Amino acid sequence: MCGIVTYLGKQQALPLLLEGLKRLEYRGYDSAGIAVMDGQPVRLMKSVGKISELEARIDPVKFNGTAGIAHTRWATHGKPNEANAHPHFSCDRKLFLVHNGIIENYLPLRRELEAAGHKFVSETDTEVLVHLVEANKKSGLDLTAAVQHALRRVVGTFGIAVLDQDEPGVIVVAKRGSPLIIGIGNDEILAASDVSAFVRLTKQVVYLNDNDVATLRRGDYSIVSIEGPAEVEREVETVDISAEALEKRGFKHFMLKEIHQQPDTVVNAVRGRLLPEEGVSRLGGIEPVLERLKSARRLSIVSCGTSFYAGQYGRYVFEALTNLETDVALASEFRYRSVRFDEKSVVLALSQSGETADTLAAIREAKRKGALVLGIVNVVGSSIAREAGAGVFMHAGPEIGVASTKCFTSQSIIMVLMALLLGRYQNLTFNEGLRILRAIEEMPKHIQDMLDRQEQMLEIARKYHKAKNFLFIGRKYNYPIALEGALKLKEISYVHAEGYAAGEMKHGPIALIDESFPTMAVVPQDETYDKMISNIQEIKARNGKVIAVASEGDREIRKVVDDVFYIPRTLDLITPLLAVIPLQLFAYYTADLHGREIDKPRNLAKSVTVE
Ligand code: GLU
């Protein structure tokens, strides 16, 4: 959720920490802070708002130093104000700590520490950590041991970094449930919640496991567990992200760049995975569990947000192509249900970041109960990637815009490949398989064709952007697309939108319709077309305005609706993955016309690492 970045080395820490924070800003951005040290007293600055506001308040001359920790916050406990911003500090102002996550038992701990004389200055859950470490240091422990002892008392999730004026050559970091990655440079060492924060400096990384406590020194580090004194070994890995992938490259927003990357990200999602000569797909990541998958009876797709809508699309696909009974669950609700698992159950987790706390909790529960857990994630090395029994990477490159676009299409297409692979061992014929592969191969060209006509969507957005409410409707494969279109609009433009199965409309939402309440109808010429037209007529009969996303060449639709955006013709099953593109553009342009902060919408964060 929030972002942590730390630096210890030979260069000035301040500019590197600020650069890292800017890279992480998409993770949470209501306030930020930095502490820098160089033997002298630690210097601290915190600020509400963006990283640029923090930067403007810092005098770089005063903040010279080659060690530091920094944080961008997504508030869970206490308002986004300066006192609640991190780093938090001990009573003697020698210890400084940043935290990502939630300390669930902070209230009893706070009461206990206050009774022992500790003074608290914030409303956060985090602040107990720094006072616990302080108490342990006072009893004679070094920083690493003091952190270990403190974390043993904590219930909840954390990624933390601690700076101690008494141990100037050291930064201690630890994690449980929130990501934290060490970057190893030349005589310098970094740590961050996401490698994008330091990838310009080093690509050599160590992914910490839960309950690891790492002591960082210039050019050196050691790791112990929260529980024990014994050192643990973690592999050094090389990450494959270029610094250029983190730039906007001429686009006004990352979101627009990412919408435009989709012809490429679709290619990356399927590269080496299509076998037209056999009418099937190949997914190396799930080969080791293929036998178990083939004998599975039930599939539960778990995910949140946009991935949940991708999951709903996936359900139609798995049901159409395989014999699996499929359901889709919101990860945050999964644990409250009494789903029965056995060795014939498969759980498929969808997550861009691979760190979504709700999804992670759901797969841990499923594993405990004996289900086979698969993941479709974008970030290599992420928690879900490591904890799922097997899975497939999206290879979409970093997705920075908070509103997911390219990862929606990537994860959807990978589900098609999975269902195809399995279906071919069941009832799906060679020709049916081949038709799907051909349609997938044509997707990049079709998406490019729509992007080349994006101005048409801008015109439509100009006409409708002042509306305060929108309805999005679709049927079958395109019902989840209607839901996703409504979510995109809400997320980035703050315009109220409801996604509905078109057939449900007359059971309630049609009461809302009048001339000021437009409808976006996803109405390709597939088996649902006639019924969709009837639903559109029902809206028109009540003076509602209708924008249609329709199949190329469908002239009749013009007579029924107010505006049309045409999408190329393809297989019914693949159509929604084209139909979603104009809806992404519509949300983007509407938000831009409203002057919204598109890449960082209020109250939202990219990778939701708290439950
Ligand atoms: N729970 C902490 C707070 O509210 C950390 C939130 C975060 O992860 O940014 O300050």
Side-chain angles (χ1 to χ4, degrees):
M1 210 92 193
C2 79
I4 290 176
V5 54
T6 79
Y7 177 83
L8 184 62
K10 51 198 179 188
Q11 308 185 51
Q12 281 298 314
L14 179 69
L16 298 172
L17 293 174
L18 285 170
E19 179 187 333
L21 282 184
K22 284 181 191 157
R23 299 259 190 236
L24 295 179
E25 204 172 11
Y26 70 97
R27 297 175 68 93
Y29 32 76
D30 50 47
S31 50
I34 277 190
V36 169
M37 163 170 87
D38 215 4
Q40 323 156 30
V42 173
R43 271 126 304 139
L44 173 72
M45 184 61 78
K46 310 203 253 186
S47 173
V48 175
K50 295 202 200 130
I51 309 301
S52 50
E53 291 165 57
L54 174 73
E55 187 172 12
R57 295 181 60 186
I58 295 179
D59 172 0
V61 179
K62 278 208 199 127
F63 272 71
N64 74 318
T66 53
I69 60 175
H71 185 265
T72 167
R73 179 172 184 238
W74 190 86
T76 66
H77 292 59
K79 290 217 157 43
N81 58 27
E82 220 169 287
N84 290 336
H86 304 210
H88 291 283
F89 44 81
S90 54
C91 296
D92 62 8
R93 284 190 80 110
K94 286 186 170 178
L95 288 163
F96 293 79
L97 180 145
V98 290
H99 166 226
N100 167 209
I102 292 177
I103 307 301
E104 288 170 13
N105 60 338
Y106 80 103
L107 273 176
L109 288 173
R110 180 164 173 156
R111 261 184 241 120
E112 173 191 319
L113 286 156
E114 280 175 336
H118 287 264
K119 293 269 172 296
F120 281 72
V121 294
S122 81
E123 303 151 335
T124 62
D125 52 334
T126 302
E127 200 180 354
V128 295
L129 292 176
V130 74
H131 290 282
L132 273 177
V133 177
E134 179 177 36
N136 293 337
K137 280 217 75 174
K138 289 257 151 61
S139 70
L141 299 176
D142 68 7
L143 182 61
T144 306
V147 169
Q148 276 176 304
H149 278 76
L151 295 179
R152 280 180 211 162
R153 305 219 33 217
V154 159
V155 178
T157 55
F158 50 82
I160 61 164
V162 198
L163 203 64
D164 179 0
Q165 198 171 294
D166 289 339
E167 293 186 45
V170 170
I171 291 176
V172 173
V173 297
K175 80 150 236 147
R176 181 197 291 157
S178 302
L180 206 65
I181 304 138
I182 302 178
I184 304 161
N186 249 341
D187 287 334
E188 54 189 0
I189 193 150
L190 301 105
S193 344
D194 183 330
V195 289
S196 63
F198 57 62
V199 77
R200 198 178 59 77
L201 288 183
T202 179
K203 294 193 170 39
Q204 298 295 106
V205 306
V206 174
Y207 291 97
L208 290 182
N209 285 8
D210 275 354
N211 297 317
D212 282 355
V213 178
T215 309
L216 313 181
R217 296 177 202 86
R218 286 179 178 77
D220 174 32
Y221 66 94
S222 54
I223 306 173
V224 292
S225 134
I226 286 175
E227 296 306 330
E231 254 192 60
V232 292
E233 289 289 326
R234 300 279 172 243
E235 212 179 312
V236 179
E237 300 176 39
T238 308
V239 288
D240 176 26
I241 298 180
S242 68
E244 295 79 67
L246 306 170
E247 309 293 340
K248 280 190 218 147
R249 308 251 109 192
F251 286 96
K252 187 169 174 192
H253 294 97
F254 278 111
M255 182 181 175
L256 191 60
K257 173 186 167 192
E258 287 155 8
I259 291 173
H260 276 259
Q261 282 180 311
Q262 288 173 108
D264 294 330
T265 50
V266 166
V267 171
N268 291 340
V270 305
R271 180 173 288 120
R273 293 171 172 169
L274 310 183
L275 293 181
E277 57 284 2
E278 291 171 48
V280 74
S281 58
R282 175 176 49 204
L283 296 168
I286 57 171
E287 252 155 42
V289 297
L290 193 55
E291 286 311 310
R292 194 158 162 207
L293 197 56
K294 274 156 60 179
S295 65
R297 222 177 1 235
R298 264 190 74 147
L299 173 70
S300 303
I301 305 174
V302 291
S303 46
C304 308
T306 288
S307 295
F308 177 58
Y309 298 137
Q312 295 207 14
Y313 164 73
R315 172 174 54 191
Y316 286 99
V317 173
F318 277 101
E319 286 177 349
L321 305 186
T322 76
N323 299 336
L324 283 172
E325 282 168 38
T326 309
D327 73 286
V328 201
L330 279 171
S332 55
E333 286 294 315
F334 196 63
R335 73 181 61 176
Y336 307 122
R337 298 181 40 206
S338 316
V339 184
R340 313 262 180 279
F341 291 109
D342 56 27
E343 70 287 354
K344 298 221 177 285
S345 316
V346 181
V347 169
L348 173 62
L350 309 177
S351 168
Q352 187 286 129
S353 66
E355 299 293 348
T356 316
D358 288 316
T359 309
L360 202 50
I363 67 168
R364 285 179 181 157
E365 186 62 24
K367 262 168 73 171
R368 194 172 297 130
K369 301 247 167 72
L372 168 66
V373 173
L374 307 178
I376 298 179
V377 305
N378 192 32
V379 179
V380 176
S382 57
S383 302
I384 294 175
R386 285 180 295 144
E387 293 193 26
V392 183
F393 285 115
M394 299 180 208
H395 298 308
E399 189 177 66
I400 310 281
V402 166
S404 179
T405 51
K406 62 179 180 176
C407 286
F408 177 85
T409 43
S410 293
Q411 61 196 355
S412 300
I413 201 86
I414 289 169
M415 280 189 286
V416 174
L417 296 187
M418 256 188 200
L420 171 58
L421 176 63
L422 203 55
R424 288 284 286 118
Y425 288 102
Q426 298 169 347
N427 302 330
L428 204 65
T429 65
F430 168 79
N431 277 331
E432 287 165 330
L434 186 61
R435 267 207 299 278
I436 295 170
L437 294 179
R438 292 282 179 248
I440 291 174
E441 282 170 344
E442 291 196 323
M443 271 182 71
K445 174 181 95 207
H446 288 331
I447 295 176
Q448 193 56 53
D449 163 61
M450 291 184 284
L451 294 173
D452 291 344
R453 294 183 279 120
Q454 62 177 0
E455 295 291 316
Q456 294 171 6
M457 217 13 141
L458 173 58
E459 282 316 309
I460 294 175
R462 277 211 181 99
K463 192 163 156 192
Y464 292 94
H465 75 280
K466 295 222 167 89
K468 298 217 163 15
N469 302 285
F470 278 87
L471 186 65
F472 284 67
I473 55 170
R475 281 177 182 255
K476 198 178 173 181
Y477 295 125
N478 292 297
Y479 161 43
I481 299 309
L483 299 176
E484 169 59 5
L487 178 66
K488 275 303 78 101
L489 189 66
K490 282 185 265 208
E491 282 183 299
I492 57 169
S493 70
Y494 319 147
V495 172
H496 169 239
E498 305 228 12
Y500 260 91
E504 264 298 289
M505 226 187 46
K506 54 190 168 298
H507 299 288
I510 199 161
L512 296 165
I513 296 296
D514 62 19
E515 61 285 354
S516 69
F517 200 128
T519 298
M520 177 74 83
V522 187
V523 53
Q525 277 179 325
D526 61 10
E527 60 174 290
T528 70
Y529 185 74
D530 292 343
K531 288 203 165 44
M532 281 299 296
I533 294 291
S534 304
N535 296 135
I536 291 170
Q537 296 286 18
E538 288 154 15
I539 294 170
K540 293 304 299 173
R542 284 152 185 90
N543 295 325
K545 298 262 183 295
V546 177
I547 312 160
V549 170
S551 300
E552 217 160 39
D554 177 4
R555 289 184 195 288
E556 286 302 301
I557 192 95
R558 284 219 175 268
K559 298 183 189 150
V560 191
V561 302
D562 300 272
D563 289 278
V564 185
F565 188 95
Y566 284 114
I567 59 172
R569 285 176 186 269
T570 180
L571 279 189
D572 290 0
L573 179 98
I574 298 296
T575 302
L577 306 184
L578 302 184
V580 74
I581 310 286
L583 301 193
Q584 294 169 347
L585 288 170
F586 179 71
Y588 174 80
Y589 285 126
T590 304
D592 201 34
L593 289 164
H594 281 284
R596 306 292 191 220
E597 280 258 23
I598 291 181
D599 286 331
K600 298 173 218 142
R602 69 183 181 204
N603 306 341
L604 291 176
K606 181 72 186 165
S607 119
V608 186
T609 55
V610 292
E611 285 178 36

